[in-house]
Amino acid sequence: MILDSEEEFTFSSEEDEASDDERQHFEERIDPAEDTISECDNELVQAPVPKRAKANQQASNRQSTLAWKTETDVDMVPLTVRFRPARETGPQLSSVDSHSPMSLFKQFFSESAVSTLCHNTNAQAAKATAKGCKYKWTDVSISEMYRYIGLLFYMAMVKVSSISDYWRQSSVFSVPFPATVMSRDRYRIISWNVHMSHPDADMDNDRKRGTREHDRLFRVKPLMDTIRQACKAIYHPKRNLAVDERMVACKSHTGMTQYMKAKPTRWGFKLFVLADSSNGYTVDFSVYTGKNNFPTGHGLSYDAVTSLLDLTFLGSGYHVYMDNFYTSPKLLMQRPVCNEVWCMWDLQGQREGLPSECSGFGMDLLYL
């Protein structure tokens, strides 16, 4: 996995809010077995013990329970957390009612969300015509917007050389369906003006560019938040979950598009996704907007997991699988994660906060 910077792999010391005892154990590599003072040493050495050595000794005594075990030590199996989902797992739709493809689609693109989309699109078109754009505009309705969205899905599945080819009639390879939905010119005019947020609000957000108040996802948030809420509302995941990245293909110059060599889709927007491992259903997702936008200040991998693991929505006793990019002692010791969720993770030995014995190799651990 190719990331923007090595900064995404480690956490700075300023971001580590652990206690002094934890810092001495994890960062200074204190070994409790080597940091004790025998009675003989006390008799021979009468000089006062330096403050730092005394602090190290006290820390090692308190942290002896965190020492690494050898292969001869007996494994202690931790208590299993009982699986208590907040709702019954599976689809939350009534099995009695019949559901058409359109009704299921409207669970994610509700009429209220599409109505907001129409309102903002009409406002953007009025603003464009006021500036002198030379085309005739009639306000788009909810039903017409649904047809427009349907054409977008159709074009994503049926590929031709250019947009105009979808309305070409003179070729043997003509595509007759789009012309039955709307005209080519109408499709183009809607595409020029489609807007998810209000244009006046966009201007207010653009004035904040370069500050912390600026929201890089402001233009897509009205529809994005609706889809996220729908993902949670109509399905409750089963016990096994996975956290990973997902790429949405795009090569536009937005400042947020990423290049990931190891992914099937190399160019696009990077999403952090929480998915049901049994069927791949997207439970929740967040969009990566830049390496400096960390809400908690603990780094990208920490924030990506904690923002997706909403235990008030999920419940307790879940098993979460993730790769070594997301794992760190800071995350796995974070309450309520460590008390309510089992995490199966691939350990990266170079992670800050791990003992030196782990450097240079990886391992799989099950952590409660």
Side-chain angles (χ1 to χ4, degrees):
M1 180 174 59
I2 306 299
L3 296 174
D4 292 336
S5 170
E6 292 298 328
E7 295 175 0
E8 294 183 358
F9 280 92
T10 59
F11 303 112
S12 66
S13 59
E14 296 178 356
E15 296 168 348
D16 189 4
E17 297 178 357
S19 64
D20 291 340
D21 296 340
E22 292 174 343
R23 180 178 59 79
Q24 290 171 349
H25 178 77
F26 288 116
E27 295 183 5
E28 299 178 13
R29 318 302 188 195
I30 295 174
D31 187 353
E34 298 177 359
D35 205 42
T36 57
I37 300 178
S38 64
E39 294 180 0
C40 181
D41 294 335
N42 285 331
E43 292 176 357
L44 296 177
V45 181
Q46 300 297 331
V49 180
K51 292 184 179 180
R52 185 166 184 81
K54 184 182 294 184
N56 291 347
Q57 177 185 351
Q58 295 173 353
S60 64
N61 293 334
R62 285 193 295 269
Q63 298 294 336
S64 60
T65 57
L66 296 177
W68 289 87
K69 297 181 182 298
T70 66
E71 65 275 8
T72 59
D73 293 327
V74 179
D75 290 335
M76 300 297 294
V77 180
L79 296 176
T80 304
V81 178
R82 186 166 62 90
F83 183 47
R84 295 175 295 170
R87 297 180 294 175
E88 183 180 355
T89 60
Q92 303 298 305
L93 301 176
S94 175
S95 58
V96 179
D97 301 334
S98 59
H99 301 283
S100 64
M102 187 63 179
S103 66
L104 293 176
F105 177 76
K106 286 185 176 180
Q107 294 289 336
F108 298 92
F109 285 75
S110 63
E111 290 194 2
S112 61
V114 174
S115 176
T116 302
L117 185 60
C118 291
H119 174 73
N120 294 332
T121 299
N122 294 331
Q124 174 64 23
K127 181 179 178 180
T129 53
K131 289 184 177 180
C133 291
K134 304 297 183 181
Y135 53 76
K136 184 179 179 181
W137 173 261
T138 56
D139 286 350
V140 61
S141 63
I142 295 177
S143 60
E144 188 178 26
M145 183 60 74
Y146 273 120
R147 294 198 299 272
Y148 174 81
I149 296 173
L151 273 181
L152 294 180
F153 279 92
Y154 179 82
M155 293 175 179
M157 294 183 291
V158 181
K159 299 293 186 180
V160 295
S161 299
S162 64
I163 293 296
S164 60
D165 287 342
Y166 287 103
W167 283 268
R168 189 181 300 276
Q169 301 296 327
S170 60
S171 173
V172 177
F173 304 102
S174 62
V175 184
F177 175 72
T180 64
V181 179
M182 65 176 57
S183 66
R184 182 195 62 184
D185 292 343
R186 182 60 175 171
Y187 173 84
R188 283 179 168 176
I189 293 173
I190 294 177
S191 299
W192 294 337
N193 294 282
V194 65
H195 236 65
M196 301 177 195
S197 58
H198 198 278
D200 293 339
D202 289 343
M203 294 178 62
D204 294 337
N205 183 65
D206 290 342
R207 295 189 188 99
K208 302 174 184 177
R209 194 181 300 275
T211 66
R212 290 189 175 184
E213 289 76 19
H214 179 250
D215 188 355
R216 304 185 73 177
L217 298 173
F218 186 83
R219 282 175 165 79
V220 298
K221 268 200 170 177
L223 186 58
M224 185 184 73
D225 290 344
T226 299
I227 296 175
R228 287 185 60 198
Q229 293 169 8
C231 288
K232 295 182 179 182
I234 68 175
Y235 182 85
H236 199 80
K238 299 178 183 179
R239 188 167 195 171
N240 294 325
L241 302 173
V243 176
D244 206 350
E245 302 95 22
R246 180 178 297 167
M247 295 293 289
V248 178
C250 181
K251 289 188 177 180
S252 60
H253 300 285
T254 64
M256 293 186 293
T257 51
Q258 301 291 310
Y259 175 77
M260 300 186 70
K261 183 179 180 180
K263 296 293 183 180
T265 302
R266 297 184 179 183
W267 283 100
F269 294 101
K270 182 167 69 174
L271 308 184
F272 297 108
V273 177
L274 178 69
D276 189 328
S277 298
S278 63
N279 51 30
Y281 179 87
T282 299
V283 180
D284 197 4
F285 64 92
S286 60
V287 183
Y288 175 65
T289 58
K291 62 183 180 180
N292 295 324
N293 298 324
F294 304 148
T296 63
H298 297 315
L300 173 61
S301 58
Y302 179 96
D303 289 341
V305 177
T306 55
S307 64
L308 296 174
L309 283 181
D310 182 1
L311 298 185
T312 59
F313 159 70
L314 294 172
S316 64
Y318 275 90
H319 295 172
V320 181
Y321 297 82
M322 61 189 79
D323 62 25
N324 57 18
F325 170 70
Y326 300 97
T327 55
S328 66
K330 184 69 177 177
L331 172 65
L332 274 300
M333 295 178 70
Q334 173 69 28
R335 286 183 171 83
V337 174
C338 63
N339 289 343
E340 303 291 339
V341 176
W342 284 79
C343 293
M344 180 71 77
W345 43 293
D346 181 54
L347 176 65
Q348 182 184 357
Q350 289 76 19
R351 275 289 193 178
E352 182 176 336
L354 291 175
S356 58
E357 291 85 352
C358 294
S359 61
F361 61 89
M363 63 182 73
D364 290 331
L365 296 178
L366 187 65
Y367 190 91
L368 178 59

